[in-house]
């Protein structure tokens, strides 16, 4: 069964799973069923994390502009904003052993790459900067594990990246503040380090596709727990025993790291599902490009994957290419046999092709002409 929703950033606690969908934070039974909203802002949110005592959900929200840390009760209630940093690199990453929200942020730094770990108290007081230097993530457990400050985008967005800012793991095995490199021989982009019992789990694409791996604290007994024949495993999180992650917009759980197979969570969203419905967009915001005709009386205009003819004086706009699921772009005008025409790039057949139509629009029942599919 394939969900009609796109679910991301899961976290598990007890019999609940938190996740994001349709620009809000949700909770659902871990055994599957109907989910309910924790937030109702309809603004981009990431990384919800349920507190160790199961009473509070923390997440990153762009409700007020830049991403900030918000919390809300698991049992329902208004959200409370904890930070006012104004940094584009603020992210909730979990909870500290002392019950404060663990977040990373470049607030106060000269570069967005210099994200530091912060412990954010729930009463809204000043956050404490943790003494690790620039990091991308922190995993508290038998020993502290750090992820180096990464390139700024997750592995699924830049597949098989091998550059100098790929994620690297560091561990303080002596608990004395002396960190050493872990899995230096793993040639991949590492992210989302987790302590699951006495094993360190993480995501890596060193075998070609993002998957979940784990090892002992000394780096031995490296195991892979998810397959390589599908989409990237993303956004891994744990309650110390189980691991949840997202892949292809679905949520998956591993009940343990001792041979359990991933199982898909059957989560259903309630409500009107407004984010699945067509809605008007602001043409100025989604404007792509325009090309005037040789008389300067009209232009072919690209707006969010569609092409329109717009007169420069009175008169309606005319849609030349506006098929849902098809991207049209880069329109150009030309004249043939005294008539104005428009040509644009379309992916209607999968591969990019050129598509033509007169500026006056196609006759009813006519289909546009396409050439050069796959040759552009």
């Amino acid at each position: 069964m394939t969900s009609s929703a796109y679910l991301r950033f899961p976290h598990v606690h007890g019999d609940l799973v938190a996740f994001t969908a349709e620009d809000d934070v949700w909770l659902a039974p871990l055994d599957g069923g109907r989910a309910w909203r924790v937030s109702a802002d309809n603004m981009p949110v990431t990384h919800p994390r349920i507190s160790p005592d199961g009473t509070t959900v923390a997440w990153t929200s762009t409700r007020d502009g830049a991403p900030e840390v918000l919390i809300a009760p698991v049992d329902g209630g208004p959200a409370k904003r904890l930070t006012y940093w104004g940094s584009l690199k603020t992210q909730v990453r979990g909870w500290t052993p002392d019950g404060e929200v663990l977040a990373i942020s470049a607030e106060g730094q000269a570069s967005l790459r210099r994200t530091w770990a912060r412990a954010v108290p729930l009463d809204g007081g000043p956050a404490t900067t943790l003494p690790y230097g620039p990091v991308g993530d922190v995993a508290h457990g038998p020993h502290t594990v750090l992820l180096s400050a990464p390139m700024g985008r997750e592995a699924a967005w830049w597949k098989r990246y091998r550059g100098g800012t790929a994620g690297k793991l560091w561990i303080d095995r002596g608990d004395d503040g002396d960190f050493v490199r872990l899995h230096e021989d793993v040639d991949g982009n590492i992210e989302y380090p987790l302590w699951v019992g006495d094993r360190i789990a993480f995501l890596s694409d060193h075998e070609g596709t993002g998957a979940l791996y784990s090892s002992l604290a000394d780096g031995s007994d490296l195991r892979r727990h998810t397959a390589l024949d599908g989409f990237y495993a993303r956004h891994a999180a744990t309650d110390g025993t189980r691991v949840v992650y997202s892949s292809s917009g679905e949520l998956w759980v591993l009940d343990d790291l001792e041979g359990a197979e991933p199982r898909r969570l059957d989560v259903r969203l309630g409500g009107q599902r407004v984010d699945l419905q067509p809605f008007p967009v602001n043409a100025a915001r989604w404007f792509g490009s325009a090309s005037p005709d040789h008389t300067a009386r009209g232009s072919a205009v690209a707006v969010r994957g569609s092409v329109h003819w717009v007169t420069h004086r009175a008169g309606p706009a005319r849609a030349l290419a506006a098929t849902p699921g098809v991207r049209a772009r880069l329109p150009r005008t030309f004249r043939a046999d005294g008539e104005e025409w428009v040509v644009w790039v379309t992916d209607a057949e999968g591969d990019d092709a050129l598509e033509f139509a007169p500026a006056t629009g196609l006759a009813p029942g006519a289909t546009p002409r396409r050439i050069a599919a796959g040759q552009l």
Side-chain angles (χ1 to χ4, degrees):
M1 174 179 173
T2 301
S3 171
S4 59
Y6 193 80
L7 315 180
R8 299 187 298 164
F9 301 109
H11 184 246
V12 62
H13 183 280
D15 58 358
L16 293 178
V17 59
F19 60 93
T20 68
E22 297 193 352
D23 287 338
D24 273 313
V25 176
W26 300 69
L27 288 169
L30 187 62
D31 292 334
R34 180 166 174 165
W36 61 93
R37 291 180 191 264
V38 176
S39 68
D41 300 321
N42 197 31
M43 294 295 291
V45 290
T46 62
H47 297 96
R49 295 292 185 264
I50 305 174
S51 62
D53 62 8
T55 64
T56 306
V57 183
W59 69 92
T60 316
S61 172
T62 58
R63 182 188 69 183
D64 301 320
E68 302 288 357
V69 178
L70 270 66
I71 59 171
V74 167
D75 292 335
K80 176 183 178 181
R81 179 174 169 181
L82 298 184
T83 62
Y84 293 81
W85 292 334
S87 169
L88 294 176
K89 288 297 183 180
T90 295
Q91 279 188 3
V92 168
R93 305 305 295 188
W95 294 81
T96 70
D98 296 328
E100 296 181 321
V101 180
L102 174 65
I104 63 169
S105 179
E107 183 268 337
Q109 298 296 310
S111 168
L112 291 177
R113 293 185 181 274
R114 293 181 58 84
T115 52
W116 288 63
R118 320 289 174 95
V120 185
L122 303 190
D123 61 5
T128 300
T129 299
L130 302 182
Y132 303 134
V135 295
D137 206 345
V138 180
H140 293 292
H143 310 288
T144 301
V145 171
L146 306 178
L147 176 73
S148 61
M151 58 186 172
R153 62 186 69 181
E154 63 173 288
W157 293 355
W158 197 341
K159 295 177 175 61
R160 290 168 287 281
Y161 172 75
R162 298 292 184 267
T165 58
K168 304 172 182 64
L169 292 182
W170 300 79
I171 186 170
D172 180 10
R173 294 194 188 99
D175 300 322
D176 56 4
D178 185 15
F179 287 84
V180 296
R181 179 87 178 271
L182 181 65
H183 294 305
E184 191 170 359
D185 57 338
V186 173
D187 184 24
N189 190 9
I190 297 177
E191 55 185 0
Y192 289 92
L194 313 166
W195 275 105
V196 185
D198 61 352
R199 299 184 66 82
I200 302 170
F202 56 92
L203 298 178
S204 175
D205 63 354
H206 64 277
E207 292 187 284
T209 301
L212 180 73
Y213 298 83
S214 75
S215 75
L216 297 176
D218 61 2
S220 64
D221 192 26
L222 181 64
R223 306 177 191 170
R224 176 167 49 83
H225 301 278
T226 59
L228 299 174
D229 56 356
F231 292 90
Y232 267 51
R234 305 168 66 188
H235 314 142
T238 185
D239 62 354
T241 302
R242 299 163 295 183
V243 178
V244 288
Y245 63 94
S246 64
S247 181
S248 185
E250 298 179 332
L251 304 185
W252 297 80
V253 61
L254 273 165
D255 292 308
D256 58 63
L257 298 183
E258 301 302 326
E261 291 295 324
R263 57 184 177 91
R264 178 183 168 275
L265 301 183
D266 181 15
V267 173
R268 302 185 302 276
L269 302 189
Q272 298 184 5
R273 313 301 308 284
V274 294
D275 285 353
L276 294 178
Q277 307 304 316
F279 63 95
V281 298
N282 186 308
R285 177 183 176 188
W286 293 102
F287 172 80
S289 61
S291 175
D293 72 351
H294 86 290
T295 67
R297 295 176 180 173
S299 290
V301 178
V303 177
R304 201 176 189 268
S306 60
V307 174
H308 304 261
W309 181 261
V310 180
T311 62
H312 293 175
R313 299 194 180 208
R318 179 181 300 112
L320 302 180
T323 302
V326 175
R327 184 189 183 198
R329 59 192 178 95
L330 302 176
R332 296 292 184 268
T333 60
F334 66 96
R335 170 164 282 204
D337 298 328
E339 184 178 9
E340 300 300 331
W341 284 74
V342 181
V343 58
W344 59 89
V345 179
T346 178
D347 63 1
E349 298 179 5
D351 292 327
D352 281 345
L354 295 180
E355 191 167 77
F356 301 83
T360 55
L362 293 168
T367 58
R369 180 188 177 196
R370 293 193 195 111
I371 63 171
Q375 302 177 40
L376 304 189

